[in-house]
């Protein structure tokens, strides 16, 4: 069945079953491999994208559930104000280690910052608790989010 979805501001048409996860569409149909597969069960956060600005696990989001909502992926997050600040802070703090979880981390962090410009520690914990990092970069992630939030002060 054909579905047309707004991905990063471009309408993309794909011919897949309606229960195909968005993650599969992004990676296998559209070749957008920045969004990662980790668990496939909404347990790790590696596959996080934004749907209408909300951090969403694309591995458990079927293509037929998206409708006219707007999908944003790691490939375009740097074009958003919050995403650009998060990416700059990530570079400044040299957050990634192996890097595998990091696109999901950045998507969750940028959704947080877009909705809450000055998050508290508990806000950060709540927003990021579903994003697992096997390399243990959590302290640098927290520091980078705080720096990005400070950039909102002016
Ligand atoms: S791959 Fe989607 S949450 Fe792990
Ligand atoms: S940087 Fe390696 S899993 Fe997070």
């Amino acid at each position: 069945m054909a579905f047309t979805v707004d991905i990063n501001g471009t309408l993309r048409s794909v011919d897949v079953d309606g229960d195909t996860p968005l993650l599969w569409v992004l990676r296998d149909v559209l070749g957008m491999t920045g969004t990662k597969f980790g668990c496939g069960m909404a347990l790790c956060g590696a596959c996080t994208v934004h749907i209408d600005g909300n951090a969403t696990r694309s591995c458990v989001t079927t293509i037929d559930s998206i409708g006219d909502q707007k999908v944003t992926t790691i490939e375009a997050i740097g074009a958003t104000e919050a995403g650009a600040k998060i990416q700059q802070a990530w570079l400044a703090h040299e957050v990634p280690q192996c890097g595998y979880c990091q696109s999901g981390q950045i998507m969750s962090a940028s959704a947080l910052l877009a909705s809450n410009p000055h998050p508290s520690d508990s806000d950060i914990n709540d927003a990021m608790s579903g994003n697992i990092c096997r390399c243990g970069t959590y302290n640098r992630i927290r520091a980078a989010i705080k720096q990005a939030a400070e950039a909102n002060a002016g």
Side-chain angles (χ1 to χ4, degrees), residues 23 36-48 57-60 130:
L23 178 60
K36 301 305 184 193
F37 171 80
C39 64
M41 296 185 291
L43 296 172
C44 76
C47 66
T48 304
R57 309 301 186 224
S58 64
C59 67
V60 292

Side-chain angles (χ1 to χ4, degrees), residues 95-102 105 132-137:
V95 172
Q97 191 161 322
C98 83
Y100 197 82
C101 73
Q102 294 292 325
Q105 304 281 4
I132 306 302
C133 176
R134 293 180 70 91
C135 300
T137 63

